[in-house]
Amino acid sequence: MITDIKYAFRTLAKSPAFTVVAILTLALGIGASTTIFSVLNAVLLRPLPYPNQERIVELRELDEKGKGMPVAEPNFNDVRDRSGSFAAIAKYTGTMDSAVAGGSEPVRTNTCAVSDDFFRVLGVAPLMGRLFSSERPEQDEQGVVVSYGFWKRVLAGRTNLDGTTLRFENRSFAVIGVLPPDVEFPPRVDIWFPAKIFPPNPSRTGHNWRVAARLRDGVSFEQARAEVASIGQQLKRDFGVETDAASFALTPLRERMVKDVRSALWMLCGAVALLLMIACSNVANLLLVRANARRKEVSLRAALGASRGRLARQFMVETLLLTLVAGGVGTLVAMWGVGLIVGFYHGNLPRVGQIGVDGTVLTFSVGVSFLLGLVLGLVPLAGVSRARLQDELASRGVSISPSSSRVRNFLIVGQIALTLMLLVGAGLLVRSFQRLLEVDPGFQPESAVAMNISLPMPEEPLPVVGSSIAVVRIAQVYQQLLERLQALPGVVSVGGVNGLPLSDNGSNGSFIIETGAKPAETLPELEKQYSAFKGTERMGNAEFRVASGGYFPTIGIPLLRGRLFQDSDAPDAPHVALVSQSLARRYWPNEDAVGRQIQFGGMDGDLHVLHIVGVVGDVRDEGLDADVRPTVYVNYRQRPRYASQFSIVLRGRGDPATFIAAMRREARALNPEMPVEFQTLTQVVAASLDHRRFTMAMLGVFAGAALLLAMVGLYGVMAYITSQRTHEIGVRMALGAQRFDMLRMIFRQSFTLVLAGVAVGILASIGLTRLLASMLYGVRATDVATYGGVIGFLIGAAALASYIPARRAMKVDPMVALRYE
């Protein structure tokens, strides 16, 4: 074996061009495969860092149509008290963007409110300190647990947590524990604080909580699912229209975490597999050509006594040496590619901190390299295993083995087909992305910048009608900031809203269409009205936004009827609202919405009736590919309770980024501890497309690499065939054939393979691209224009790859060719 290895090194060193091309081709395929596997391993394959992670489930309510939704607090309490299937069950919020002081500097970070048994559900132990527990409710009420990253980044990794406090939600919390670095649930959360600081919400239609639970030992998933479904049905019978839940559903936590990215990752895995197959077929073609050129050498070795097993081992050693070196280079490519993917993808990729080239990924890379070496090592045998040794030794020149020709042709057809599939997939995603960019978002993102700020709501209970003094002061801070920014040089207009479009941080709920009856005066009375009117024409559903009057002209939302918010809309004046065009059309289709009244107190607890004073244009809040949602806008000066997080939008003359320094200075002048973040509205729109852009870009890169490999492979095969047919070409030209006839002959042979590959690729693409249907917008999976463009582009590239060998055939000198051996 050592002799074989030494011989393989010498043989490969004598053919540096072949060796370098083969290694780089395989390294591209192995590197891409290793890169995607590292993401797949961290996100989908690697077990969650929690004991018996398969027994952790998520609980969701199901409405009468079977649609899942978060859980109302009373329903959570009932499931917790009635179910016997769970060892622990906990509620938690989604990620909350909070202004946090008390660390090395004020920061904006993600926080999450959790109930006592949250960490018991996960089954994790603290890295430092302790976690929440139902056995210490009094001590834990003023404590928080922080992530490892936050502890290192903001708390400077201090080893003694005594006296370490953080301030947010207008409270001071003692840091009682630090989680291990691999705990990332919910994703991107840095601070977990007790949910008990919020007052109980008796509404069974307020879907404010997510719920996780751990199954008891001996209880199967199916048993638990049947039990919670029965509890949900019983609650529906007991409370009727007072609850939206007709049943409950359980989902494994792991499955729920990767739901949004699973299809995209598996699609990229399929694309990488196709790319790897193309790379392997390319190298297989090179090996066949090389084996054909070495047939006389192999025949001579066989004549001197080498067995076929000995010859096969030599080919296998050479190929394994190639693939293992390519695997090493591919691993370096993967290390670079992983960093590129993590930096490029800004969407909600779970467990992103664990993506990297670790031992499992290295094992995968070595395994793929070894497997490819074994498979490719068999390829050269196709050209020599049936050779007649006497004929090979007696022949002059190198003949083309018919079996080798068939294998080469098959590989080229396969490369073209696989490349077409990748190009069609990338083309469909590009066309879909273009259609999305043509969608009107409902606002004008150009020349505008947003400053995101956070101010804590007061700790004391709020009055039923109106706002406390502390809440009014928050609105006054916003007003002062808006006035300061409006006075800056070059500013056209300024406005604010509690949730920017396309940023996925809005809220929605139900409202009552008032008909002149006496409005509710207490929250319990309002709850009864919601229950009574549910399912009737007096009940509506809409997005809820808190905004200033200047927000609409600043962001470019048109006023269609009525007026915008004015200075006269003071806190003690009648509360006013603006509604979107879609809401006006839905609830007052043949009437004017201006002058109507609605009750939207279920959102912020303020029971003032809202008087509609204007209708504005629709905005796509949930994404460019989502339908517009009816929206109600209330005045931030009258209803500031929902504006603890506010986005100030500024439109100026020139580059919006030039205003950032001045905006930060004015914000810090009002409150030095107020953290701020900036983004242009163009960046907001771009961020909403991150997931689609990432998938499109990755598939485009793989398709481009596949096209390059396929064209190089086609060029190599046609160049080899041309060189082998030099004598034939000389004879033809000596008998009167013209140069154009030689060009046509080479192109005919080339395009026979190309068109066969296109035909196979079209049939395969029609079936496989249907898997992309859920990722497309405005484009069908069988879009004729995309197929036509891709086929034309592929044939053009194939023509270019075939032209150089054909041109060489045209220049053959008949006299030289006739003497060619």
Side-chain angles (χ1 to χ4, degrees):
M1 182 62 68
I2 294 176
T3 301
D4 287 341
I5 294 174
K6 290 180 179 180
Y7 183 77
F9 267 112
R10 291 197 304 270
T11 304
L12 294 176
K14 289 179 180 179
S15 305
F18 162 79
T19 303
V20 171
V21 171
I23 288 176
L24 292 181
T25 300
L26 288 172
L28 178 61
I30 296 173
S33 302
T34 305
T35 299
I36 295 301
F37 177 79
S38 66
V39 179
L40 192 73
N41 178 55
V43 177
L44 297 182
L45 304 180
R46 184 183 300 166
L48 298 175
Y50 314 125
N52 299 317
Q53 52 100 21
E54 71 281 355
R55 302 195 65 77
I56 306 176
V57 296
E58 183 186 65
L59 175 77
R60 289 173 64 82
E61 292 185 8
L62 295 178
D63 63 14
E64 295 177 348
K65 297 181 180 180
K67 180 182 178 181
M69 51 192 170
V71 180
E73 185 172 353
N75 291 342
F76 163 75
N77 294 335
D78 285 331
V79 173
R80 179 193 59 195
D81 297 339
R82 300 185 187 187
S83 173
S85 299
F86 304 124
I89 184 170
K91 63 182 181 181
Y92 63 99
T93 63
T95 55
M96 304 166 60
D97 186 13
S98 301
V100 180
S104 55
E105 61 179 358
V107 296
R108 286 172 62 95
T109 193
N110 291 324
T111 61
C112 176
V114 300
S115 59
D116 295 335
D117 282 342
F118 179 79
F119 295 111
R120 186 177 165 212
V121 169
L122 298 182
V124 297
L127 180 70
M128 291 180 57
R130 60 182 177 84
L131 305 177
F132 300 138
S133 171
S134 55
E135 300 174 358
R136 297 183 298 269
E138 293 79 11
Q139 301 100 312
D140 292 344
E141 187 169 353
Q142 300 300 322
V144 295
V145 176
V146 300
S147 69
Y148 179 84
F150 185 89
W151 173 65
K152 296 287 289 185
R153 185 176 66 252
V154 181
L155 301 182
R158 62 187 69 170
T159 55
N160 186 0
L161 299 177
D162 293 341
T164 302
T165 60
L166 300 175
R167 297 188 301 278
F168 61 97
E169 295 293 330
N170 208 41
R171 292 171 179 262
S172 291
F173 296 92
V175 179
I176 63 173
V178 178
L179 289 176
D182 57 352
V183 176
E184 300 178 4
F185 184 77
R188 301 172 306 283
V189 167
D190 277 330
I191 300 175
W192 292 259
F193 65 95
K196 62 185 66 174
I197 71 169
F198 298 127
N201 183 353
S203 172
R204 291 185 182 271
T205 59
H207 307 286
N208 301 319
W209 296 97
R210 302 178 184 182
V211 176
R214 178 175 287 273
L215 301 179
R216 289 185 185 278
D217 293 338
V219 176
S220 69
F221 178 82
E222 293 300 328
Q223 290 174 328
R225 182 162 60 180
E227 184 189 46
V228 297
S230 176
I231 294 174
Q233 295 163 6
Q234 182 61 49
L235 292 177
K236 189 64 177 178
R237 289 193 293 268
D238 292 344
F239 297 100
V241 296
E242 294 183 20
T243 180
D244 293 331
S247 182
F248 291 103
L250 289 182
T251 306
L253 182 64
R254 180 189 185 83
E255 179 180 330
R256 184 67 184 173
M257 287 176 64
V258 301
K259 177 183 177 182
D260 296 335
V261 299
R262 182 193 300 273
S263 58
L265 289 180
W266 282 118
M267 185 202 68
L268 291 179
C269 286
V272 165
L274 296 180
L275 177 62
L276 185 59
M277 291 170 64
I278 294 172
C280 289
S281 63
N282 226 336
V283 174
N285 259 326
L286 292 175
L287 290 172
L288 280 174
V289 170
R290 180 175 168 82
N292 200 67
R294 295 174 62 186
R295 284 167 64 189
K296 183 165 291 188
E297 170 205 340
V298 173
S299 299
L300 181 60
R301 295 182 64 191
L304 293 175
S307 66
R308 291 189 176 182
R310 180 70 179 80
L311 295 174
R313 190 177 75 182
Q314 182 61 54
F315 280 125
M316 195 71 68
V317 169
E318 290 182 17
T319 310
L320 279 172
L321 188 60
L322 274 178
T323 57
L324 290 176
V325 172
V329 177
T331 301
L332 297 178
V333 172
M335 295 175 66
W336 171 79
V338 166
L340 188 65
I341 287 179
V342 172
F344 182 69
Y345 186 79
H346 303 294
N348 299 327
L349 194 64
R351 308 176 73 185
V352 66
Q354 300 180 34
I355 298 175
V357 180
D358 56 10
T360 302
V361 175
L362 287 175
T363 301
F364 170 84
S365 180
V366 173
V368 169
S369 302
F370 192 79
L371 180 62
L372 292 181
L374 293 179
V375 173
L376 292 175
L378 300 175
V379 171
L381 298 179
V384 299
S385 60
R386 299 176 181 175
R388 294 183 179 180
L389 302 183
Q390 296 85 350
D391 293 343
E392 291 296 335
L393 291 173
S395 65
R396 301 177 63 193
V398 180
S399 61
I400 301 177
S401 167
S403 61
S404 296
S405 297
R406 288 192 295 269
V407 172
R408 282 198 305 272
N409 292 342
F410 174 79
L411 292 174
I412 286 295
V413 170
Q415 285 187 48
I416 298 297
L418 296 175
T419 301
L420 179 68
M421 293 165 59
L422 283 175
L423 287 174
V424 167
L428 289 173
L429 291 182
V430 169
R431 290 262 294 169
S432 176
F433 196 77
Q434 290 175 338
R435 294 290 178 87
L436 277 175
L437 293 179
E438 295 170 0
V439 174
D440 181 10
F443 62 95
Q444 300 173 5
E446 300 80 12
S447 302
V449 62
M451 176 174 64
N452 303 315
I453 60 178
S454 296
L455 289 175
M457 284 288 109
E459 182 178 349
E460 69 270 15
L462 298 176
V464 172
V465 178
S467 300
S468 68
I469 295 176
V471 173
V472 172
R473 286 176 179 169
I474 290 176
Q476 291 173 348
V477 171
Y478 293 151
Q479 184 174 359
Q480 293 174 26
L481 184 54
L482 290 171
E483 292 172 351
R484 283 172 171 263
L485 296 177
Q486 184 65 65
L488 292 175
V491 173
V492 176
S493 59
V494 178
V497 70
N498 71 324
L500 288 171
L502 303 177
S503 58
D504 195 28
N505 60 359
S507 301
N508 63 78
S510 299
F511 63 88
I512 296 173
I513 301 174
E514 293 293 348
T515 59
K518 182 181 178 181
E521 296 181 354
T522 63
L523 285 175
E525 187 178 341
L526 180 63
E527 286 291 331
K528 292 181 180 179
Q529 288 187 3
Y530 274 115
S531 298
F533 297 146
K534 184 178 179 181
T536 70
E537 295 181 355
R538 289 193 61 184
M539 180 67 74
N541 188 275
E543 298 290 315
F544 184 81
R545 300 290 183 270
V546 183
S548 71
Y551 168 71
F552 302 94
T554 301
I555 202 172
I557 300 176
L559 175 65
L560 304 179
R561 286 191 300 280
R563 67 172 178 85
L564 300 177
F565 300 140
Q566 300 175 347
D567 293 340
S568 59
D569 298 324
D572 54 354
H575 284 207
V576 296
L578 303 173
V579 298
S580 65
Q581 185 179 26
S582 59
L583 187 144
R585 286 177 176 173
R586 176 178 297 184
Y587 298 106
W588 298 283
N590 301 313
E591 305 173 62
D592 191 355
V594 175
R596 300 288 181 172
Q597 298 178 4
I598 60 174
Q599 168 58 268
F600 219 151
M603 293 300 298
D604 59 1
D606 193 320
L607 299 186
H608 279 102
V609 173
L610 294 169
H611 301 263
I612 299 175
V613 297
V615 178
V616 296
D618 286 317
V619 173
R620 294 182 182 270
D621 276 308
E622 297 182 349
L624 294 177
D625 55 347
D627 295 332
V628 296
R629 288 273 299 161
T631 306
V632 172
Y633 299 92
V634 297
N635 193 330
Y636 81 102
R637 296 174 61 204
Q638 296 178 334
R639 306 285 282 262
R641 296 186 189 182
Y642 233 74
S644 60
Q645 299 172 18
F646 213 54
S647 296
I648 306 293
V649 183
L650 180 148
R651 184 175 296 278
R653 301 181 183 90
D655 185 359
T658 59
F659 293 93
I660 290 178
M663 295 174 73
R664 179 182 284 108
R665 182 179 65 249
E666 296 298 335
R668 292 290 171 84
L670 286 175
N671 187 342
E673 292 191 348
M674 180 168 60
V676 295
E677 292 179 349
F678 294 90
Q679 56 184 158
T680 65
L681 292 192
T682 303
Q683 291 172 333
V684 172
V685 176
S688 70
L689 298 172
D690 273 340
H691 178 70
R692 289 182 176 273
R693 183 184 294 105
F694 171 79
T695 306
M696 177 190 68
M698 294 302 300
L699 190 58
V701 168
F702 296 149
L707 178 64
L708 177 63
L709 291 178
M711 293 307 101
V712 168
L714 179 62
Y715 164 78
V717 168
M718 296 313 301
Y720 176 72
I721 291 175
T722 301
S723 67
Q724 294 297 304
R725 298 181 68 177
T726 300
H727 184 76
E728 173 194 347
I729 292 171
V731 171
R732 288 176 178 270
M733 296 185 70
L735 295 176
Q738 301 299 313
R739 294 182 184 273
F740 181 76
D741 296 326
M742 298 301 98
L743 178 69
R744 184 171 55 187
M745 181 185 70
I746 299 300
F747 264 98
R748 183 189 300 117
Q749 186 170 8
S750 171
F751 272 83
T752 299
L753 301 176
V754 171
L755 293 179
V758 167
V760 175
I762 290 175
L763 295 177
S765 297
I766 291 175
L768 290 179
T769 52
R770 295 183 184 277
L771 301 175
L772 288 176
S774 62
M775 302 181 185
L776 301 179
Y777 177 83
V779 178
R780 294 185 304 171
T782 55
D783 182 60
V784 176
T786 301
Y787 274 80
V790 166
I791 292 172
F793 180 74
L794 184 57
I795 290 177
L800 183 63
S802 303
Y803 174 71
I804 298 177
R807 189 167 178 268
R808 186 178 301 161
M810 293 170 59
K811 295 183 177 182
V812 170
D813 187 336
M815 299 305 297
V816 174
L818 290 175
R819 292 193 299 268
Y820 176 77
E821 179 175 299

